[in-house]
Amino acid sequence: MPSWCASGRRFVDLHAHSAVSDGQFSPADVVAMADQLKLAAIALTDHDTVDGLAEARRSAAQFPDLRFAAGIEVSAEPPSGTLHILGLGIDAEAASLVDMLATLQKGRRERNPKIVAKLQALGLAITMDDVSAVAREAGGTDDIISRGHIAEALRRGGHVRDRQQAFDLYIAAGGPAYVGRQRLSPADSIAAIHAAGGLAFLAHPPQLKCDNNAQLDRIVHNLVEAGLDGIEAYCSDCTAEQTRHCIDLARQYELFLIGGSDFHGAVKPDVRMGHPRTPAAVIPDELADRLFR
Ligand code: AMP
Ligand code: MN
Ligand code: MN
Ligand code: MN
């Protein structure tokens, strides 16, 4: 076991969301749950915001056996499917992050009313106030309104049976009320994370929706050229075969390996914090020094 993990705890979860983006629980509760589950480390990685990190760090200070990584998950322009990049070990106050998050949050503010207008044009009674109420009730703000919140507003309005149906009928990519939002290139996203002192990891590689391993290899190759530091080889979307392939890619490109659940609480009921199991042993001390500060 690497020396950073002296607690005897064996597993980490370096990908979790709070209500500050689209998760269920407060940042402090996410950290407390990780301690209750006897994890060796937890990262808070809300979408496009660092607003939960101070609270999470204060909470982590109460748990001597739990290490905490300040993180973020940013959406970048995808070569295919969905490209999310985790920044871990970031300084939340770094100017590079403030600029990137302003761009990403503006992208959401511009997009969301367009989705709502398309839904209205389809005859559904829904307003931005309804959507905003969902985010606020969950403990969030108007800065990070996601399609998940819009889906919940549609459910509450009786327009769909559940959130998934809202995606399937209306707001999934390519759906009749879908509108894209502004993202940064992978290179710019990685550069902003680096400038904030963090390391950049490819999140949930299966969400790239590659047709084959060769396509994934090409994308990882390009991300490595753009400065990628590591890959989330253990993830809720990964089959055992995909995890093995990501481990091979990490060896080939000398990338760090990490893992995380993408915990959201009830918003993603099939995802459990701490699962799939990511061994603390995959995090060497040199990486731990960069992540847990
Ligand atoms: P946004 O970042 O605001 O565009 O919304 C992304 C959220 O929508 C994430 O929580 C995704 O898990 C969710 N999402 C995107 N596409 C789908 C889909 N086809 N089915 C269910 N959830 C989806
Ligand atoms: Mn999410
Ligand atoms: Mn993601
Ligand atoms: Mn996530």
Side-chain angles (χ1 to χ4, degrees), residues 22 47-48 75 84 108 111-112 145-148 163-164 167-168 171-173 178 181 183 264 267-268:
D22 59 348
H47 298 282
D48 302 347
S75 317
H84 287 177
R108 289 182 183 276
R111 176 203 61 172
N112 292 330
I145 291 187
S146 86
R147 280 179 288 156
R163 282 190 284 247
Q164 187 57 49
F167 280 94
D168 295 344
I171 60 176
Y178 177 74
R181 61 188 171 87
R183 297 171 162 87
H264 282 68
V267 175
K268 293 197 178 178

Side-chain angles (χ1 to χ4, degrees), residues 15 17 45 47 73 204 262 264:
H15 187 163
H17 295 269
T45 56
H47 298 282
E73 180 174 20
H204 41 56
D262 205 5
H264 282 68

Side-chain angles (χ1 to χ4, degrees), residues 20-272:
V20 171
S21 63
D22 59 348
Q24 179 183 6
F25 301 101
S26 71
D29 286 349
V30 168
V31 169
M33 290 166 80
D35 189 67
Q36 269 159 22
L37 291 169
K38 303 262 180 277
L39 295 178
I42 182 80
L44 184 69
T45 56
D46 275 313
H47 298 282
D48 302 347
T49 177
V50 293
D51 287 352
L53 294 178
E55 177 186 321
R57 187 181 290 288
R58 278 195 301 277
S59 172
Q62 301 172 261
F63 305 113
D65 291 338
L66 179 71
R67 306 300 300 274
F68 172 73
I72 189 163
E73 180 174 20
V74 296
S75 317
E77 281 162 19
S80 68
T82 295
L83 173 55
H84 287 177
I85 296 175
L86 294 172
L88 298 178
I90 52 171
D91 167 8
E93 276 151 34
S96 68
L97 275 186
V98 174
D99 288 352
M100 173 169 67
L101 300 185
T103 302
L104 293 171
Q105 292 176 15
K106 179 162 160 277
R108 289 182 183 276
R109 269 197 303 278
E110 288 172 357
R111 176 203 61 172
N112 292 330
K114 291 183 190 163
I115 292 181
V116 168
K118 281 194 169 187
L119 291 167
Q120 289 169 346
L122 291 166
L124 308 186
I126 178 173
T127 66
M128 267 315 291
D129 283 347
D130 299 334
V131 177
S132 169
V134 171
R136 282 161 188 268
E137 240 176 74
T141 69
D142 284 347
D143 287 342
I144 301 292
I145 291 187
S146 86
R147 280 179 288 156
H149 297 125
I150 297 173
E152 174 63 11
L154 285 170
R155 188 193 69 77
R156 290 189 193 177
H159 304 296
V160 292
R161 183 173 65 235
D162 53 26
R163 282 190 284 247
Q164 187 57 49
Q165 193 181 40
F167 280 94
D168 295 344
L169 291 181
Y170 302 114
I171 60 176
Y178 177 74
V179 181
R181 61 188 171 87
Q182 195 191 344
R183 297 171 162 87
L184 277 68
S185 70
D188 287 348
S189 306
I190 292 169
I193 289 166
H194 285 166
L199 295 177
F201 301 84
L202 171 62
H204 41 56
Q207 288 192 23
L208 285 164
K209 302 279 181 232
C210 292
D211 294 326
N212 50 56
N213 284 346
Q215 191 189 354
L216 177 62
D217 294 12
R218 253 192 323 276
I219 292 171
V220 169
H221 176 91
N222 291 338
L223 290 171
V224 169
E225 305 248 289
L228 191 76
D229 300 293
I231 184 163
E232 190 181 51
Y234 305 85
C235 77
S236 292
D237 305 298
C238 295
T239 63
E241 163 60 30
Q242 286 168 324
T243 294
R244 270 195 301 278
H245 184 63
C246 289
I247 292 171
D248 287 345
L249 281 174
R251 197 168 296 133
Q252 184 182 340
Y253 289 106
E254 298 185 3
L255 295 168
F256 289 118
L257 287 175
I258 59 163
S261 63
D262 205 5
F263 178 72
H264 282 68
V267 175
K268 293 197 178 178
D270 298 337
V271 173
R272 283 192 296 157

